[in-house]
Structures are given as structure tokens and as C-alpha cells.
Amino acid sequence: MPIAQAIDDLKTLLGERVSLSKSDLDAHGASESYFPSTPPQAVVYPRTTEEVRDIVKICAKADVPMIGWGAGTSLEGHGQALRGGVTVDFRHMNRVLEIRPADMDVTVQPGVTREALNEELRATGLFFPVDPGANASLGGMAMTRASGTTTVRYGSMRDNVMGLEVVLADGRVIRTGTRARKSAAGYDLTALMVGSEGTLGLVTELTLRLHGQPEAVSAGICAFPDMNAATACVMETIQMGIPLARIEFACAQTARAFNAYAGTDMAEAPHLMVEFHGSPQSTEQDAERFAEIVADHDGSAFRWSAREEERRALWAMRHNGYYAILASRPGARAVVTDICVPISRLAQAVEATQADIAASGLPGPILGHVGDGNFHAILLVDPDQPAELDKAKDLAARMATRAIQLGGTCTGEHGVGYGKLPFMQSEHGDAWQVMGSVKTALDPQNLMNPGKLVPSN
Amino acid sequence: MPIAQAIDDLKTLLGERVSLSKSDLDAHGASESYFPSTPPQAVVYPRTTEEVRDIVKICAKADVPMIGWGAGTSLEGHGQALRGGVTVDFRHMNRVLEIRPADMDVTVQPGVTREALNEELRATGLFFPVDPGANASLGGMAMTRASGTTTVRYGSMRDNVMGLEVVLADGRVIRTGTRARKSAAGYDLTALMVGSEGTLGLVTELTLRLHGQPEAVSAGICAFPDMNAATACVMETIQMGIPLARIEFACAQTARAFNAYAGTDMAEAPHLMVEFHGSPQSTEQDAERFAEIVADHDGSAFRWSAREEERRALWAMRHNGYYAILASRPGARAVVTDICVPISRLAQAVEATQADIAASGLPGPILGHVGDGNFHAILLVDPDQPAELDKAKDLAARMATRAIQLGGTCTGEHGVGYGKLPFMQSEHGDAWQVMGSVKTALDPQNLMNPGKLVPSN
């Protein structure tokens, strides 16, 4: 059956909520980073699980690929229609279905963004902590196993998704997990789905773990004479057991980009941005103990504040880091790297990366979630100079290989998509083939986001 | 090829480390709970990953089932050789391979027990927190996704296994996970293997997350007039955000069993046993805030202590709970239940369970990890009275069904084995068939611990 028949069937199902307009197709073929545009043949906008199920059945019958789409903030080309097909955009499935304060959990549709959820939660005293820089959809965050600045304390999507409703490739609708805080009842299908990037099914509902809004928060920033001093300070803080809620690194180039973008007056030096959650006493104590460690490593005075507006300004700046860096080279596209290494290897990894960037001559500001050993070099390339893109990709490949050699991973939080496919074999060995076997078992027609994550796909 | 040939080949490989003695076979067919003995045809004792790989290849060639064996403390018959075959006992693979204090992780062989690991870690300032009552092997704990008294704070095996080496059914040896604190690089095979109960492969190495030994600890115990008061106190403590390291419940019958077994003088009333980890100040504050909540719920004075020997006595008593309860009816066998429900449903679940136990006339002391919503009724039956076993199994089935109806699970931490198989369909629906598909993809001959966890197996 040709795709034309599938599109007719989808129109019968969804009416106006099937789009074939060029602008819509192009918007869903685009990427936040350097990948070329690869639009789908149609975009559909379901409102219910039943509609998603019927979309899947129509596409499966016609052998048409299906690609899930959240907020479109992926950096590894997850949403691109490499083999054409139908993009399933979840923007209308954006309801918070049930908040259960006594159980500290919530059930949402996949199109709810993390900011929209926290807006709804504000009055409950609870919040959802996982915060990639972008205002991503929670469905997309689950599918890429996203994390962010607070992961050092609250974990990633791996730790905060309790259960899912998933439409499988054959149209079956399954529920994974329970609302109990733990379970030993069989394979952890929730964990299998989190990070599966739409290659095993389309998520139509998520139950998420919530956390109490901290009674008190203190946050601050400090500069270091060099990168090694900053990473040594991170390691010592972690080993002292000081409970960090956030610890973010920004290199001198990044500080310069912040200054230009946000009008700040940061020294052009490596910085740490730090936050503590707890009681008024504990957060003050934590900040003071941290300040002592900073001083021991020749850092600048640790300026900290418990005032909400100062903290908000600090983290808004951090969350705009990617855009600030992009703006530092007008017209540039970004090759974003995302390596994560054991903490003991962090200084070594950052140092080798900086030397590599310096040798390349490309702008490559670094920022990252150093409490987890995860950092990003954002390599800025002129899209009209293919040699620059090649150079950046080579550099990113060396970073990934180095991370794997150091016992780490080519992607701490952005996922595989197709940008990180070339490193999967060396990171996982035969385990990558096992991922392929799981994929084939659940999607024998290879229609769920083909060309991503698994081998020969 | 008959099993005789496989046994010959195993003898060539392992020499004296293949056992066919009746006592050895019987020991590996036995169970800690009520299941009848089902011995394997041989027991093998590998020393290396390569030996495990060769065992698997020999057994696969001869179509012989393989069953992993750790410390033999399973309560759901995980280790029983339902279809005969070869039991792979990991007792000689009991080395701690590498402790990395800077990264707060450790790599161990599967036969290391949790107590042996913590003994080795003592001088490092680190510890491994997951503590099922028994001194289980870490391989067995990973395979059943074990948890215990500290899970409310430190998580279960799901949260504390970073990576595995696994011998698959076809003899391939894979590594899952990395030593980075997080990764988004493809399907979470570590999480898929944790809780897979040996049905997808045999674990030969584990990398585990460690935690800093708390600077200060306070612990204590208090009694309540009734179960509802105790569970209300648990809920309020959690909602207040008081950071519990442990919060354990024991019913009046359990208190009586403790008194008889350990010579304590607990009131025959529901009790909570609680522990806080932190700084000297914070643990004192936490204990005092908790004492206020206890008083608000008509609890007895909360007697707490920061003294190590008092705390050790308290938790030794708790960890011997199962054996104390068994001893309270000499000669009895136990049908152990393990339901886990959302915290908001805990009081309802405990109340309904107690009414059901009272109506049955069986002894059924309750104890559990109430901070996670997980509790056990230990139903004591006379092994010579089949009617008692039937009655207990019916009661356990009603508990499981009730937990599932309340949004929870039939097993919070003991796993499925074959004891909980009858509840998998109602807990998971079609997701259970998906587990079966994953199993078939990785073990098409169905030789890895057959008869457990998945459907029609």
C-alpha cells in the first residue's frame, strides 16, 4: 500500500489534523544543530491515545515510518524523517492528567513541557526537577533519557519516570511500571523505554516522580584561575559529601558569550555556578563550606545569595547558555558534544578537549554538568564552509572516543539519534547488537523512528 | 545431545568443580520458603567469566537449562531447577575486583555478599547501602532487583547498579553501562538485566555505586496504639520532607516474635523503627522533628540514640525479622508476601490485609519498608497440613490482587520467580507479553532459568 493511501486513511481519522503543508513539513525536518533538513511526508497531530494507536495501525499497514515529535529541541537529529514517513507531533496532547500530592507523583500527556508542568505544580509545594536547558516536552525528555543541571541531586529521567503508556509498533497499547515507589515484578520495561528515542513505540502518557520544593535555596558563582582548579574544587566538594543541588561549569569563552548575550560582567575565566537545597541553616552551612573549598583552590570569593531573583537570573543565564554561545558567532551552526566520564577523569577529559579545540582553531566554548562528569563543547561552524563542519565532526569524534576510553560515554544526556550512531559500536561492543535484537523483537518492520540508535537500522 | 554428554564436557572443563552428589543437588533444589524441592541434575562452580561462557556454550549445545545461584536466599523459588538442568553456583566468584574511592564505585564478582563488600569498604569511608534482610550475594540481589530498609533514601539495586558483565544464552559476553554517572547512549540494558532473574543471561561482574558513610546517624523506635496511627505518622513524615534513611514497620505480632527471639521487651503493639543519616546537628534535628510527629499521632516517646551499639542491635533485630517470625511457630514454613502500594494507599492496604489475616486464623505477622509503601505478611503454615498452605496461598493471592488494584505491585522487592507468576498478567496486561518477546529475542532456546518470570516459559 503506498503512502498516499495511508495519508487518506489518516485524513479520515484526523481531518484537519493531518498536515501536508511545506512549511509544516520543513519545520519537522529541521534540527537545532547541524543536521541537514529531512522532512517527513506528513505531520499528524493526535489528541488521544486511541488516535495514536490508530495512526500506528494505519502506518504499519502501509509500511510507513513513524517519528515522534515533542518540542523539537533534540540536538542529535532524533526527530528527523531520514526515510520519510509520518511525524507524530504531540503538541495537542499537552494535559496534566492528575497530580497526586500525597504520593508525590503526577500523570501527564507527552506534549506537556517541563516549564508548563512546574507552573501547574507551583501551588502544591512540589516540583519536577529534571531541567535540560530547553523547555522540552516531557515525552521527548523521557525518550532521550534527558537530564540537566539538577541531576547531580535529583537524578535524570531514568530516575524520575515511574511508568509509561506506550503504543507499540503493532498498535498494542501497554502500560509499564506502577505507581508504587518500587517493584521487582519482571523486566523493567519503563527503563527500557526511557532513552529508546521512539524506536520501540510512541509514548502517550507518563507518570513522573515529584519532589518537595526545597524550604530554602542558596546559589552562587565563583571564578577560578584555570580549569584544573575548578575541576579539583568539584571533586573535593563531592568527596566531602556536601549535598549539591547543582554544580555547573562554564569556561572563559562561555563567560564571554554570557557577557555579550545577557549583559553580565563575568570575568573571562572558568566559573562554577552552584546551588544548595535544604533548610535555611543547612543551605547557609553548605554555601560556607563550599566557599572554603573554593578558597583552597584559589577561586574568587564565592558570592552566594538566598534571594530568589538573583538565583533566577543566574539559572536563566545558564539555561540560555547554548543560545548565548550560538549568538557569539553570528550565522554559525553548532556541533554539540556531550561526553560524560567518571569524576576522577573529568580534569583529564576537559584538559585534552581544550587542547584539541585550541589546535583546531574553531570556537568551542565549554559548559557542563560537572557534578555528573558531563560537559559540552559547542563547536561553532560556518554552514557555508564544509571544511569547518568536517573539522568539528572530527573533533567531536575524538572527544567521544576519548570519553569511551576513559570509562565514560559518548552522550551523557542528549541521546544517540543519528549524530552519535558512529560511536555506539565502540562504546557498547556486542551489547549494541543486543539492542538491535530487542528492537527487532518489538518492531520487526523497523517503522518506529528508523535510522536511529540501533545497528543496521 | 543428552545431558550426560554435557556433564562429561563440563567435567572436562571444570574437573572437581562439577558436583553430582545428592546432598549438593538437594541443597540447590531447596528454597527458603514453601516451594517443594526441585534439584538440578548437576551443580557447577565456575571461577572466571570464561568458564561461565564455556558452561553456557556446553549447555546450549545440549539444550540443557541453566540456573544461576548466589546465596540461595530467594523467597520466590528463583533458583529452583523446575526443568532440571545445571545450576551455576557463583560462590567461588567472590572477589572484590576494584574499589575506586574517587569515583565512589566498585567492581565485584557476583558471589560477593553485601556484608563481605561492606567489610572490605569499611576503611574507605564508603558503603554499599542496599540491604535485604539476608546476607545475599550481590549477583542475586541485582538479578531480583532487591531493595531493603535503606531504599527509602539510597534506592534499590535498580538505582545502584551502574554496569554489568553478562554471559548471554548464546555464550556472547557483553558489558552494559559505563562508569559515568549517567548516559543517554541507547537502551538501558543494565536496567533490563537488573530484575531479570537469570532469564536473559548470567551475570559475571557488577559495577556498583557507593555512598559516603554518613558522618552521623541517629536511630530509634516507638510504639503506636494502632496501625492507622503508625501509617499516618509515616505519611506525614515523608510529606514534611524529613530525610529518612530507614523507616520500618513491625506489627504487634512481629513485636511479640522479636521479644521471644531476641529477648527484647517491646510492647505488643505496632512499632516504627527509624534512622536518620547526616551531620550531628541534622540527625538530631531530624530525630526531634520526627518525635513531634510521633507524639501528634499518639505514639510512645520516640527513644532515639546516636550510639552505634544500640543502633546495631536495633537493625540486627529487624534483619532477623523473618527468622524470628519463622521461629514463632516451630516447624512452620512461610508463605511470604511482598506487596508495594502508593503511599496514599498504605493504610488501606495494611488494614485490609490484617482483616484478611484475622479471618483466616493463620499467624501472619507483618513487617515492612513502609517508607516505600512495601510490606510483608509472613503467613506461617504447618507443612503437614495442605489445607493451611492452600489457605495461605489464597490469602497471598488476594493481597497481590488488592495491591494491583490500588495501583501497586505484587512484589516490591522479592521478585517473580515462579511464586508470583500467577499475578503477572493482571499486573502488566500486554506488557507481560512484551517481556516474553524480549526473552525470546535473547534466549530463543529458553534455557536461561526456564519457568520463571515470563509467560508460557
Side-chain angles (χ1 to χ4, degrees):
Chain A
M1 190 171 76
I3 185 156
Q5 178 64 49
I7 289 174
D8 281 351
D9 289 351
L10 290 169
K11 282 182 175 166
T12 304
L13 177 70
L14 301 169
E16 296 292 303
R17 288 183 285 117
V18 179
S19 173
L20 307 177
S21 84
K22 180 161 189 321
S23 64
D24 226 5
L25 300 183
D26 284 348
H28 290 83
S31 154
E32 287 254 347
S33 52
Y34 67 92
F35 302 102
S37 176
T38 46
Q41 289 149 297
V43 183
V44 295
Y45 297 92
R47 292 192 190 281
T48 65
T49 298
E50 291 69 29
E51 286 184 351
V52 176
R53 178 198 62 203
D54 292 344
I55 291 165
V56 169
K57 287 185 173 174
I58 289 168
C59 290
K61 197 169 153 204
D63 227 19
V64 168
M66 291 158 268
I67 306 105
W69 188 273
T73 55
S74 159
L75 295 170
E76 295 293 354
H78 289 93
Q80 291 184 274
L82 299 180
R83 302 187 191 167
V86 172
T87 293
V88 183
D89 185 323
F90 286 98
R91 75 180 59 188
H92 298 315
M93 290 181 69
N94 64 349
R95 283 184 302 134
V96 175
L97 298 173
E98 192 177 359
I99 303 171
R100 303 176 202 86
D103 291 318
M104 298 175 73
D105 66 34
V106 64
T107 300
V108 300
Q109 289 187 312
V112 176
T113 67
R114 66 179 184 84
E115 290 180 4
L117 174 59
N118 279 321
E119 195 58 45
E120 287 234 20
L121 290 172
R122 190 171 293 180
T124 63
L126 301 169
F127 81 117
F128 183 71
V130 186
D131 70 331
N135 185 22
S137 72
L138 292 159
M141 287 168 62
M143 286 295 89
T144 52
R145 207 185 298 128
S147 49
T149 65
T150 61
T151 296
V152 66
R153 166 123 182 191
Y154 298 98
S156 72
M157 291 305 278
R158 180 188 199 276
D159 309 292
N160 288 288
V161 178
M162 299 173 65
L164 296 169
E165 182 184 74
V166 184
V167 180
L168 299 177
D170 59 6
R172 276 182 299 170
V173 181
I174 62 165
R175 287 188 171 272
T176 71
T178 72
R179 289 213 307 108
R181 303 301 276 186
K182 65 182 191 184
S183 170
Y187 303 157
D188 190 344
L189 295 184
T190 304
L192 179 63
M193 291 290 166
V194 170
S196 66
E197 307 187 354
T199 63
L200 299 177
L202 293 168
V203 169
T204 47
E205 204 176 287
L206 305 92
T207 295
L208 304 172
R209 189 172 290 219
L210 302 175
H211 299 261
Q213 291 168 10
E215 187 192 351
V217 176
S218 64
I221 185 166
C222 54
F224 290 85
D226 55 45
M227 180 77 70
N228 277 341
T231 51
C233 175
V234 172
M235 278 188 60
E236 189 172 328
T237 307
I238 290 169
Q239 283 164 22
M240 296 279 287
I242 299 177
L244 292 155
R246 289 167 153 153
I247 186 158
E248 295 290 304
F249 175 79
C251 76
Q253 279 188 57
T254 301
R256 191 183 316 142
F258 283 156
N259 287 340
Y261 191 78
T264 49
D265 62 344
M266 291 167 71
E268 286 188 13
H271 280 73
L272 290 178
M273 291 171 263
V274 182
E275 188 166 276
F276 304 98
H277 293 178
S279 68
Q281 303 90 320
S282 75
T283 52
E284 186 174 331
Q285 283 165 14
D286 292 338
E288 285 169 0
R289 287 171 72 195
F290 180 69
E292 287 169 23
I293 298 172
V294 172
D296 287 347
H297 292 279
D298 302 319
S300 68
F302 177 60
R303 291 184 292 145
W304 66 273
S305 169
R307 287 180 52 211
E308 188 172 350
E309 70 194 73
E310 290 184 31
R311 286 188 286 107
R312 278 189 184 274
L314 181 70
W315 298 115
M317 183 174 75
R318 169 63 188 88
H319 278 138
N320 284 321
Y322 178 61
Y323 303 104
I325 288 168
L326 265 186
S328 73
R329 186 177 183 189
R333 302 291 284 167
V335 173
V336 184
T337 66
D338 178 36
I339 67 172
C340 188
V341 298
I343 297 288
S344 65
R345 306 304 183 90
L346 180 60
Q348 187 182 349
V350 172
E351 200 170 9
T353 300
Q354 289 203 307
D356 210 346
I357 290 170
S360 78
L362 290 173
I366 287 181
L367 76 182
H369 316 301
V370 287
D372 307 312
N374 180 209
F375 67 92
H376 313 293
I378 296 172
L379 308 171
L380 297 173
V381 299
D382 178 343
D384 298 328
Q385 305 262 3
E388 283 202 5
L389 181 57
D390 289 345
K391 199 187 276 188
K393 284 162 106 174
D394 287 350
L395 205 165
R398 286 193 296 276
M399 283 181 69
T401 302
R402 196 179 294 126
I404 293 164
Q405 283 166 349
L406 293 173
T409 176
C410 66
T411 174
E413 58 182 13
H414 294 167
V416 183
Y418 74 101
K420 291 293 183 284
L421 269 184
F423 313 108
M424 291 292 277
Q425 180 65 41
S426 70
E427 179 161 336
H428 298 291
D430 277 351
W432 195 34
Q433 312 304 320
V434 172
M435 293 184 203
S437 301
V438 172
K439 161 77 171 177
T440 303
L442 300 193
D443 178 22
Q445 288 174 271
N446 190 21
L447 296 180
M448 309 308 290
N449 209 4
K452 318 286 166 63
L453 198 147
V454 291
S456 326
N457 168 12
Chain B
M1 192 172 76
I3 185 155
Q5 178 65 51
I7 289 173
D8 281 351
D9 290 350
L10 291 169
K11 282 182 176 166
T12 304
L13 177 70
L14 301 169
E16 296 291 303
R17 289 183 284 117
V18 178
S19 173
L20 305 176
S21 84
K22 181 165 189 318
S23 64
D24 226 4
L25 301 182
D26 285 347
H28 290 84
S31 153
E32 286 256 348
S33 51
Y34 66 91
F35 302 102
S37 176
T38 46
Q41 287 148 298
V43 182
V44 295
Y45 297 91
R47 292 192 190 281
T48 65
T49 298
E50 292 68 31
E51 287 183 352
V52 176
R53 178 198 61 202
D54 292 344
I55 291 164
V56 168
K57 287 183 174 173
I58 290 167
C59 290
K61 195 169 155 205
D63 227 19
V64 168
M66 291 158 267
I67 305 105
W69 187 274
T73 55
S74 159
L75 294 170
E76 295 293 354
H78 289 94
Q80 291 183 275
L82 299 180
R83 302 185 191 166
V86 172
T87 293
V88 183
D89 186 320
F90 286 98
R91 75 179 60 188
H92 298 316
M93 290 180 70
N94 64 348
R95 283 185 301 134
V96 175
L97 299 173
E98 191 177 0
I99 303 172
R100 303 176 201 87
D103 291 318
M104 299 173 74
D105 66 33
V106 65
T107 300
V108 300
Q109 290 187 312
V112 177
T113 67
R114 64 179 185 86
E115 289 180 5
L117 175 60
N118 279 322
E119 196 57 45
E120 287 234 19
L121 291 172
R122 190 172 295 179
T124 63
L126 300 169
F127 80 116
F128 184 72
V130 185
D131 70 330
N135 185 22
S137 72
L138 291 159
M141 285 168 63
M143 286 294 91
T144 51
R145 205 183 298 128
S147 49
T149 65
T150 62
T151 295
V152 67
R153 166 124 182 189
Y154 298 97
S156 72
M157 291 306 276
R158 179 187 199 279
D159 309 293
N160 289 288
V161 179
M162 299 174 66
L164 297 169
E165 182 184 74
V166 184
V167 180
L168 299 177
D170 59 8
R172 276 182 299 171
V173 181
I174 63 165
R175 286 188 172 272
T176 72
T178 74
R179 289 212 307 108
R181 303 300 277 185
K182 64 182 192 184
S183 170
Y187 304 157
D188 191 344
L189 295 183
T190 305
L192 178 64
M193 291 291 167
V194 171
S196 66
E197 306 185 354
T199 62
L200 299 177
L202 292 168
V203 170
T204 47
E205 204 176 288
L206 305 92
T207 296
L208 304 172
R209 189 171 289 221
L210 301 175
H211 299 261
Q213 290 169 10
E215 186 191 354
V217 176
S218 64
I221 186 168
C222 53
F224 290 85
D226 55 46
M227 181 76 69
N228 277 340
T231 52
C233 175
V234 172
M235 278 189 59
E236 189 172 327
T237 307
I238 290 169
Q239 283 163 22
M240 295 280 286
I242 299 176
L244 292 155
R246 289 167 152 153
I247 185 159
E248 295 289 304
F249 175 80
C251 76
Q253 277 187 59
T254 302
R256 191 185 315 144
F258 283 156
N259 288 341
Y261 191 79
T264 50
D265 62 345
M266 291 167 71
E268 287 188 13
H271 281 74
L272 290 178
M273 290 169 265
V274 182
E275 188 164 277
F276 305 98
H277 293 178
S279 68
Q281 303 90 319
S282 75
T283 51
E284 186 175 332
Q285 283 164 13
D286 292 338
E288 285 169 1
R289 287 171 71 196
F290 179 70
E292 288 169 23
I293 297 172
V294 172
D296 287 347
H297 292 278
D298 302 320
S300 68
F302 177 61
R303 292 184 293 144
W304 67 273
S305 168
R307 287 182 51 211
E308 186 172 352
E309 70 194 72
E310 289 184 31
R311 286 188 286 107
R312 278 189 184 274
L314 180 69
W315 298 117
M317 181 174 78
R318 169 62 188 88
H319 279 138
N320 284 321
Y322 177 64
Y323 303 104
I325 288 167
L326 266 185
S328 72
R329 188 178 181 189
R333 301 293 282 170
V335 173
V336 183
T337 67
D338 179 34
I339 67 172
C340 188
V341 296
I343 299 288
S344 65
R345 305 304 184 90
L346 180 60
Q348 185 183 350
V350 173
E351 199 170 11
T353 301
Q354 290 203 306
D356 210 346
I357 292 170
S360 78
L362 290 173
I366 286 180
L367 78 181
H369 317 300
V370 286
D372 307 312
N374 181 209
F375 66 92
H376 313 291
I378 297 172
L379 308 171
L380 298 172
V381 299
D382 179 342
D384 299 328
Q385 304 261 2
E388 282 201 4
L389 180 57
D390 290 344
K391 198 188 276 188
K393 285 162 104 174
D394 288 349
L395 205 165
R398 286 193 298 277
M399 283 181 70
T401 302
R402 194 180 294 126
I404 294 164
Q405 285 166 350
L406 292 172
T409 175
C410 66
T411 173
E413 60 182 10
H414 294 167
V416 182
Y418 71 103
K420 292 292 184 285
L421 269 184
F423 313 109
M424 291 291 276
Q425 181 65 43
S426 69
E427 179 162 334
H428 298 291
D430 277 352
W432 195 33
Q433 312 303 320
V434 172
M435 294 184 202
S437 301
V438 172
K439 161 77 171 176
T440 302
L442 299 194
D443 179 20
Q445 288 174 273
N446 191 21
L447 296 180
M448 307 308 289
N449 208 3
K452 319 284 166 65
L453 197 149
V454 290
S456 327
N457 167 11

